[in-house]
Amino acid sequence: MNDVAAWDGGLVRTWLDRRLAAARLDQAAADRRGYGAEGDYDAAAAEEWVCRALQVGGHADDAAAFAAHIKTLLGQEEYRATGIHDDRRYDRNVRAHLRKIAKMTKANEGFANTLRYRA
């Protein structure tokens, strides 16, 4: 019996939708906390950007296309967003989120965990 699960594009899209919503809530919470939470705000904004970018183009239905899309995004020089506090920190967070999702994609695990980010 094969214990490796097949790629489920619907599950990946659901995971991205839920992480996008959670990132928005995290940004709002960090914004309410004020100056000391600017790093948290930038990290949540980076996660929102990544989830939104990965939703574009319908690549989630094919694991290879999804991985190629992530690789293309990782190859970008910079990631534009408004309202962030530190561009370098934001770019680092975007790349970290992309690398994390790339690992999840390669292993095809963690997308079923919609309650928490870490698998």
Side-chain angles (χ1 to χ4, degrees):
M1 179 167 225
N2 190 1
D3 56 343
V4 175
W7 182 260
D8 184 352
L11 184 63
V12 173
R13 284 190 299 278
T14 298
W15 186 87
L16 288 170
D17 288 341
R18 293 201 178 157
R19 288 311 315 153
L20 181 65
R24 287 182 188 144
L25 291 174
D26 290 347
Q27 285 178 71
D31 199 33
R32 283 191 301 274
R33 288 195 314 268
Y35 181 75
E38 288 178 349
D40 294 339
Y41 182 91
D42 289 350
E47 184 177 6
E48 179 185 4
W49 187 94
V50 166
C51 290
R52 189 175 310 286
L54 291 174
Q55 288 176 327
V56 174
H59 300 285
D61 289 325
D62 178 42
F66 193 68
H69 188 50
I70 293 170
K71 187 174 182 176
T72 300
L73 292 172
L74 276 167
Q76 287 185 208
E77 290 293 320
E78 60 182 22
Y79 307 95
R80 301 234 177 225
T82 57
I84 57 171
H85 302 284
D86 184 327
D87 291 336
R88 286 186 296 185
R89 176 175 54 209
Y90 173 78
D91 284 352
R92 279 193 313 268
N93 282 315
V94 167
R95 291 182 195 286
H97 286 297
L98 286 169
R99 285 190 301 272
K100 172 67 177 170
I101 296 171
K103 287 179 185 177
M104 290 170 60
T105 301
K106 185 175 181 180
N108 191 19
E109 58 186 32
F111 293 109
N113 187 2
T114 56
L115 300 177
R116 291 182 293 119
Y117 181 42
R118 304 292 184 240

